[in-house]
Amino acid sequence: MTTPLDPSKFNPHDPGYTRDPYAWYAMFREQAPVSFVPLYRSNWVFRYDDVRRVLDDTELFLKRKPDAVPEDPQSGFDVMDSMPPGVFSLDPPRHTQVRTIVDPLFAAAITSAAATAEATARAQLKRAKSSRRIELVQQFAVPVPTSVLMSVLGILPSETATVAGWVSAILAGNDPTNPMSVRMSAATCAMALNAYFQAFSRCPAHANSGGLVQSMMTKGTAQGLLPEEVQSTAVNFVVAGYLSTVFLIATGTLNLVRNPAQLELLRKEPARMTNAIEEMLRFDAPAQLVDRYVAGDVELGGVQLKRGDRVTGVLGSANRDASRFKDPDAFDITRDTSGHVGFGEGIHTCIGASLVRAGAPAAFRLLIEELPTIALDGAPQWQTDPYLRSVANLPLVIG
């Protein structure tokens, strides 16, 4: 029997939803596939085909609000919206121009990502094994991607902790239910991060640091990249670039522990690692929601939308849609994962996806090789921001 859904009572910060949003997604797909969520003043889109339309139709669904559409006076302060427009928030044609310049520079910068991930993972696990316990998020899932991304960007080791601290504060401020003090601290850190990368891209002290920021400032600007786009793109990368890997490692490990047959299969057949990671991205995507703005009046999922309306593609729901994936609520590392939207889709597919796919396999391979037994050692807590899906802590007994 289908549980009746009252969208007006939907609260994406309810603890039950935070722990497991997928039952809610199923109800919305069946009963209200496009539904207005007042807290975010956006029309959330739940079905796979509708989400793909939002992602693929870049003329109708824009990253930024159309010109001449007034700002919503009730929208309040949004930390991420306060960032300058970079590669993550541009629309064509400039988006295409910037990606054409940045993509090859990024590909060149991540060539050592797997080696950096492996070295950091090995060191972290060596320390953890001496105590037979590990809090996986802070002792493994955070330091491994942090070391990789900071190295890729060319951030000096002496500055890594400061930059990572700013990012953590910005992440907390993106949750509108957090106290105003937390959100204003995030705004301060956002300004600090912007100022840091403005100085970084122009400061002689960093001239020999190497990495993506330097190559964007030298090779990129020679090809038409603006200095302010170097700054904003660096901010985009450091805020969103490594969080996907952090969340993937944390939640992916939890799902392996909860599905011991799948974990054992991966131990026996490590060649399945690449597909296992794609299944982790499908099953529990680190980024659950992506926002767009409607460029013109359109009907979507039976709902009439007007120019300037905000729409939010629910990636996590699309990835669990039975019309696209057989037995979608089963975690199965052998399934065909093609078509999942864990990194979005189309021209706005996450530019950092290649970094995740370069570093995550090394981290998981070391985790499985070095730890022959992994078991929960307490109840993990979940982050409260519905845009991001991850456990905030993951206590494990290891052997």
Side-chain angles (χ1 to χ4, degrees), residues 163-335:
V163 174
W166 289 335
V167 173
S168 296
I170 291 169
L171 175 63
N174 197 52
D175 185 341
T177 65
N178 273 335
M180 184 54 69
S181 59
V182 173
R183 305 194 72 200
M184 295 313 296
S185 175
T188 302
C189 290
M191 288 188 289
L193 194 63
N194 273 305
Y196 171 83
F197 277 112
Q198 184 179 44
F200 185 105
S201 60
R202 296 163 174 79
C203 180
H206 291 86
N208 298 318
S209 65
L212 180 61
V213 179
Q214 183 188 12
S215 66
M216 286 195 296
M217 201 62 206
T218 54
K219 299 176 183 177
T221 54
Q223 299 175 62
L225 201 62
L226 301 176
E228 54 268 31
E229 289 173 333
V230 174
Q231 173 195 345
S232 58
T233 298
V235 171
N236 290 164
F237 265 119
V238 81
V239 171
Y242 85 95
L243 292 177
S244 292
T245 315
V246 172
F247 299 160
L248 173 66
I249 293 173
T251 307
T253 300
L254 175 62
N255 286 321
L256 285 172
V257 172
R258 285 177 167 175
N259 295 272
Q262 298 294 303
L263 175 57
E264 187 59 27
L265 176 60
L266 193 55
R267 289 189 191 278
K268 290 180 178 178
E269 301 179 23
R272 294 187 181 275
M273 181 61 74
T274 297
N275 200 69
I277 288 172
E278 297 303 319
E279 173 65 351
M280 294 174 193
L281 290 165
R282 182 204 70 84
F283 186 77
D284 239 352
Q288 291 278 302
L289 311 175
V290 293
D291 291 328
R292 297 288 190 270
Y293 292 94
V294 182
D297 295 357
V298 64
E299 182 180 306
L300 184 68
V303 174
Q304 190 66 38
L305 303 174
K306 297 184 295 183
R307 183 175 184 271
D309 282 352
R310 188 177 185 179
V311 295
T312 299
V314 186
L315 305 180
S317 177
N319 283 336
R320 296 286 191 100
D321 192 331
S323 71
R324 180 61 183 82
F325 300 100
K326 183 180 179 181
D327 195 12
D329 294 322
F331 181 69
D332 179 5
I333 65 172
T334 69
R335 80 160 68 241

Side-chain angles (χ1 to χ4, degrees), residues 10 17 20-30 44 46 288-289 314-318 320 386 389:
F10 172 59
Y17 173 89
D20 182 12
Y22 298 104
W24 282 95
Y25 293 165
M27 288 190 290
F28 273 104
R29 285 195 303 271
E30 182 178 354
W44 286 23
F46 292 91
Q288 291 278 302
L289 311 175
V314 186
L315 305 180
S317 177
R320 296 286 191 100
R389 172 78 174 157

